[in-house]
């Protein structure tokens, strides 16, 4: 049996797992990391790879521009 399916209640077939159940299983198995510590590590890797252009002095302006762009595309 795969990690994305389970037997049907009658035992004659298989059915896909709901997304939430599948993702929670991936988190429990360590296949996916989430939370504040994982986010900090990802941010540190991006900063190391791309420098302060990502997190530099204009980060607040970049964040505001991103939010404005999102709001204008979601209307």
């Amino acid at each position: 049996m795969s990690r994305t399916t389970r037997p049907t209640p009658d035992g004659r077939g298989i059915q896909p797992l709901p997304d939430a159940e599948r993702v929670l299983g991936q988190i429990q198995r360590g296949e996916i990391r989430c939370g504040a510590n994982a986010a900090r590590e990802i941010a540190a890797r991006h900063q190391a790879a791309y420098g302060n252009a990502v997190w530099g002095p204009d980060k607040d302006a970049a964040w505001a521009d991103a939010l404005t762009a999102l709001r204008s595309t979601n209307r």
Side-chain angles (χ1 to χ4, degrees), residues 2 6 8 11 14 19 24 32 45 49 51-54 61-62 66 71 73:
S2 123
R6 65 175 164 217
T8 56
I14 59 171
D19 286 343
L24 289 173
I32 296 175
R45 282 198 305 266
N52 284 334
V54 176
R71 289 183 185 129
T73 59

Side-chain angles (χ1 to χ4, degrees), residues 31-72:
E31 297 171 1
I32 296 175
R33 293 189 58 221
C34 61
N37 288 336
R40 284 187 200 94
E41 290 175 23
I42 292 167
R45 282 198 305 266
H46 283 129
Q47 185 172 13
Y50 304 111
N52 284 334
V54 176
W55 307 109
D58 292 334
K59 65 183 178 223
D60 292 332
W63 180 253
D65 290 345
L67 288 177
T68 301
L70 283 173
R71 289 183 185 129
S72 66

